[in-house]
Amino acid sequence: MSETPAHRDDEIDLFELFIKLWEGKWTIILAMIGATILCMFYLLILPNSYSGTTFVRAAQPSAFTRYTFLSEALETDNFTYKIDDKFVFDAFISEFNDLEEVIQTLRGDESVVQELSEIEESEREGFIISRAKQFQIIPPQKDETQTELRFTWGDVDASKQIFETSLQLVLANVKATLAKDIDHYAQGAQSRLTIKIENATLKKMSLKKAYGLLTESGYCF
């Protein structure tokens, strides 16, 4: 007898809940429609973005065989400049990661130029840096061996062109940096050699002068 009222109370509560939901059905329906419209509007105004990944690796060691003699010539007790696949690849990664070439490329991209014209001048540098960071070189992660080129951009073809142009600039700058470093080393080596020659010449002149003085003094050898 005591369990029946409780059971009826539960039924009454559920029935009242159903009634309240039914009475507010239009509110619920309108809320769902409103949420759907908002989602569709957000998707329409949200710019499309695409992500892409490709792999990059160092050239074969045999490609640098021609530089073996140069590397040996540049090596001293206090200085090592070995031009091989690892050295050049590391230089390439380091050059790309400073983002200068990507930023240079983006400054010539029409869509980026248009976006820059629509924001405050004080915000433009930060804006273009943030866009440049969408192009990345990802080093091998744990249990991986390959380096990735990764991008996120609104247009696939444009992103490929930006990446290609940036990489060409990076390679050109790496080549120029290597040539400059070797030239500086060569100038330094030439300066050291010149100093040694001058010192040897002075020493020879000093010995010759000393020999002349001894000869004039009557010393014979």
Side-chain angles (χ1 to χ4, degrees):
M1 296 294 293
S2 61
E3 294 181 358
T4 302
H7 180 66
R8 289 178 178 175
D9 288 343
D10 290 341
E11 289 181 348
I12 292 172
D13 290 341
L14 292 174
F15 182 74
E16 289 179 352
L17 177 61
F18 176 77
I19 292 298
K20 289 180 179 179
L21 290 175
W22 181 255
E23 291 175 349
K25 63 181 182 297
W26 292 114
T27 302
I28 297 173
I29 292 172
L30 290 174
M32 293 177 63
I33 293 174
T36 302
I37 292 174
L38 287 174
C39 289
M40 293 178 64
F41 180 73
Y42 177 76
L43 292 174
L44 288 173
I45 64 173
L46 184 68
N48 292 327
S49 63
Y50 303 90
S51 296
T53 300
T54 187
F55 296 104
V56 61
R57 60 180 177 80
Q60 294 297 323
S62 58
F64 297 88
T65 303
R66 71 184 73 176
Y67 302 110
T68 301
F69 175 77
L70 180 59
S71 297
E72 293 175 351
L74 293 174
E75 186 174 357
T76 64
D77 293 337
N78 301 318
F79 181 80
T80 300
Y81 202 90
K82 188 176 182 180
I83 304 174
D84 59 9
D85 55 317
K86 184 179 185 306
F87 179 85
V88 174
F89 189 66
D90 289 345
F92 165 78
I93 298 296
S94 178
E95 184 69 28
F96 185 92
N97 283 337
D98 66 19
L99 297 179
E100 289 184 5
E101 291 79 9
V102 181
I103 291 173
Q104 180 179 342
T105 302
L106 291 179
R107 291 190 186 279
D109 182 78
E110 291 183 3
S111 63
V112 175
V113 171
Q114 178 63 33
E115 290 179 290
L116 286 173
S117 67
E118 296 173 356
I119 63 177
E120 296 291 335
E121 187 173 354
S122 59
E123 300 176 358
R124 292 176 184 176
E125 190 66 23
F127 171 82
I128 200 166
I129 290 175
S130 68
R131 298 304 298 271
K133 288 181 178 179
Q134 293 181 255
F135 295 85
Q136 298 177 304
I137 289 186
I138 310 298
Q141 305 300 308
K142 186 178 180 180
D143 300 328
E144 295 180 353
T145 58
Q146 293 181 303
T147 300
E148 291 184 6
L149 298 177
R150 187 181 301 172
F151 70 87
T152 301
W153 202 252
D155 183 278
V156 175
D157 293 333
S159 62
K160 290 179 180 179
Q161 185 60 48
I162 291 170
F163 234 143
E164 182 179 349
T165 303
S166 299
L167 293 178
Q168 290 176 353
L169 290 173
V170 168
L171 291 173
N173 287 341
V174 168
K175 182 179 179 180
T177 298
L178 291 175
K180 186 183 296 184
D181 289 344
I182 293 171
D183 184 59
H184 286 167
Y185 178 84
Q187 291 180 13
Q190 181 64 44
S191 297
R192 290 192 296 271
L193 181 61
T194 301
I195 292 172
K196 287 182 179 180
I197 292 174
E198 290 175 351
N199 289 338
T201 301
L202 290 174
K203 186 175 181 179
K204 180 180 179 181
M205 293 176 62
S206 297
L207 290 173
K208 187 175 181 180
K209 185 177 181 180
Y211 178 79
L213 292 174
L214 290 173
T215 302
E216 290 176 1
S217 300
Y219 288 96
C220 298
F221 296 91

